[in-house]
Coordinates of all heavy atoms in Angstrom, one line a residue:
H7 N 13.5 -88.5 -24.5 CA 13.0 -88.3 -23.1 C 13.1 -89.6 -22.3 O 12.4 -90.6 -22.6 CB 11.6 -87.8 -23.1 CG 11.0 -87.5 -21.8 ND1 9.9 -88.1 -21.4 CD2 11.4 -86.6 -20.8 CE1 9.6 -87.6 -20.2 NE2 10.5 -86.7 -19.8
R8 N 14.0 -89.7 -21.3 CA 14.2 -90.9 -20.5 C 14.7 -92.0 -21.5 O 14.4 -93.2 -21.3 CB 13.0 -91.4 -19.7 CG 12.3 -90.2 -19.0 CD 11.1 -90.7 -18.2 NE 10.3 -89.6 -17.7 CZ 9.1 -89.7 -17.2 NH1 8.5 -90.9 -17.0 NH2 8.4 -88.6 -16.8
E34 N 17.7 -87.3 -22.6 CA 17.4 -86.7 -21.3 C 17.2 -87.8 -20.4 O 16.7 -88.9 -20.7 CB 16.0 -85.9 -21.5 CG 15.6 -85.1 -20.2 CD 14.7 -85.8 -19.2 OE1 14.3 -87.0 -19.5 OE2 14.5 -85.3 -18.2
L35 N 17.7 -87.6 -19.1 CA 17.6 -88.7 -18.1 C 17.5 -88.0 -16.7 O 17.8 -86.8 -16.6 CB 18.8 -89.6 -18.1 CG 20.2 -89.0 -18.2 CD1 20.7 -88.7 -16.8 CD2 21.2 -90.0 -18.8
D36 N 17.0 -88.8 -15.7 CA 16.7 -88.2 -14.4 C 17.7 -88.8 -13.4 O 17.8 -90.1 -13.3 CB 15.3 -88.5 -14.0 CG 14.3 -88.1 -15.1 OD1 14.1 -86.9 -15.2 OD2 13.8 -88.9 -15.8
H49 N 13.3 -91.9 -12.6 CA 12.5 -90.7 -12.6 C 11.8 -90.5 -11.3 O 11.9 -89.4 -10.7 CB 11.4 -90.8 -13.8 CG 10.5 -89.6 -13.8 ND1 9.3 -89.5 -13.0 CD2 10.6 -88.4 -14.4 CE1 8.8 -88.4 -13.2 NE2 9.5 -87.7 -14.0
N107 N 21.1 -84.4 -21.5 CA 20.5 -83.5 -20.6 C 20.3 -84.2 -19.3 O 19.4 -85.1 -19.2 CB 19.1 -83.1 -21.2 CG 18.3 -82.2 -20.3 OD1 17.1 -82.0 -20.6 ND2 18.8 -81.7 -19.2
E109 N 18.9 -84.3 -15.9 CA 17.9 -83.6 -15.0 C 18.2 -84.0 -13.6 O 18.1 -85.2 -13.2 CB 16.5 -84.0 -15.4 CG 15.5 -83.2 -14.5 CD 14.0 -83.5 -14.6 OE1 13.6 -84.1 -15.6 OE2 13.3 -83.2 -13.6
K111 N 16.9 -84.6 -10.2 CA 15.6 -84.8 -9.6 C 15.6 -84.4 -8.2 O 15.6 -85.3 -7.3 CB 15.2 -86.3 -9.8 CG 14.4 -86.5 -11.0 CD 12.9 -86.0 -10.9 CE 12.2 -86.1 -12.2 NZ 11.6 -84.9 -12.8
S140 N 19.7 -79.6 -16.0 CA 18.5 -78.9 -15.7 C 17.9 -79.4 -14.4 O 18.2 -80.5 -13.9 CB 17.5 -79.2 -16.9 OG 17.2 -80.5 -17.0
F142 N 13.9 -78.8 -12.0 CA 12.8 -78.0 -11.5 C 13.2 -77.2 -10.3 O 12.5 -76.2 -9.9 CB 11.6 -78.9 -11.2 CG 10.9 -79.5 -12.4 CD1 11.1 -80.8 -12.7 CD2 10.2 -78.7 -13.2 CE1 10.4 -81.4 -13.9 CE2 9.5 -79.2 -14.4 CZ 9.7 -80.5 -14.7
L162 N 14.1 -75.7 -15.5 CA 12.9 -76.5 -15.9 C 11.6 -75.8 -15.3 O 11.7 -75.3 -14.2 CB 12.9 -77.9 -15.4 CG 13.4 -79.0 -16.3 CD1 13.9 -80.2 -15.5 CD2 12.4 -79.3 -17.4
E164 N 7.1 -76.4 -15.3 CA 5.9 -77.0 -15.9 C 4.7 -76.1 -15.8 O 3.5 -76.5 -16.0 CB 5.6 -78.3 -15.3 CG 5.4 -78.3 -13.8 CD 5.3 -79.7 -13.2 OE1 4.9 -80.7 -14.0 OE2 5.5 -79.9 -12.0
H183 N 13.7 -74.8 -20.0 CA 13.1 -76.1 -20.4 C 11.6 -76.1 -19.9 O 11.3 -76.7 -18.9 CB 13.9 -77.2 -19.7 CG 15.3 -77.4 -20.2 ND1 15.9 -78.6 -20.3 CD2 16.2 -76.5 -20.6 CE1 17.1 -78.5 -20.8 NE2 17.3 -77.2 -21.0
T206 N 12.3 -78.1 -24.9 CA 10.9 -78.3 -24.4 C 10.5 -79.8 -24.4 O 11.0 -80.5 -25.2 CB 9.9 -77.4 -25.2 OG1 8.7 -77.5 -24.5 CG2 9.7 -78.0 -26.6
Y207 N 9.7 -80.1 -23.4 CA 9.2 -81.5 -23.2 C 7.7 -81.5 -23.1 O 7.2 -80.4 -22.9 CB 9.8 -82.1 -21.9 CG 9.3 -81.4 -20.7 CD1 8.3 -81.9 -19.9 CD2 9.9 -80.2 -20.2 CE1 7.8 -81.3 -18.8 CE2 9.4 -79.5 -19.1 CZ 8.3 -80.1 -18.4 OH 7.9 -79.4 -17.3
T208 N 7.0 -82.6 -23.1 CA 7.4 -83.8 -23.7 C 6.6 -83.9 -25.0 O 5.4 -84.0 -25.0 CB 7.0 -85.0 -22.7 OG1 7.5 -84.8 -21.4 CG2 7.4 -86.3 -23.2
I227 N 12.1 -82.5 -26.7 CA 12.4 -83.7 -25.9 C 11.2 -84.6 -25.9 O 10.1 -84.2 -25.4 CB 12.8 -83.3 -24.5 CG1 13.9 -82.2 -24.5 CG2 13.2 -84.5 -23.7 CD1 14.2 -81.6 -23.1
Ligands
LIG1 O1 13.5 -82.7 -18.5 C1 12.3 -82.7 -19.2 C2 11.3 -83.6 -18.4 O2 11.9 -84.8 -18.2 C3 10.8 -83.0 -17.2 O3 9.8 -83.7 -16.6 O4 8.8 -85.3 -15.0 O5 9.5 -86.1 -17.3 O6 11.2 -85.5 -15.6 P1 9.9 -85.2 -16.1

Side-chain angles (χ1 to χ4, degrees):
H7 181 240
R8 312 180 193 170
E34 187 267 358
L35 50 83
D36 307 286
H49 177 271
N107 176 192
E109 184 190 338
K111 265 284 174 238
S140 64
F142 286 108
L162 263 162
E164 58 185 340
H183 292 216
T206 190
Y207 66 95
T208 305
I227 306 172

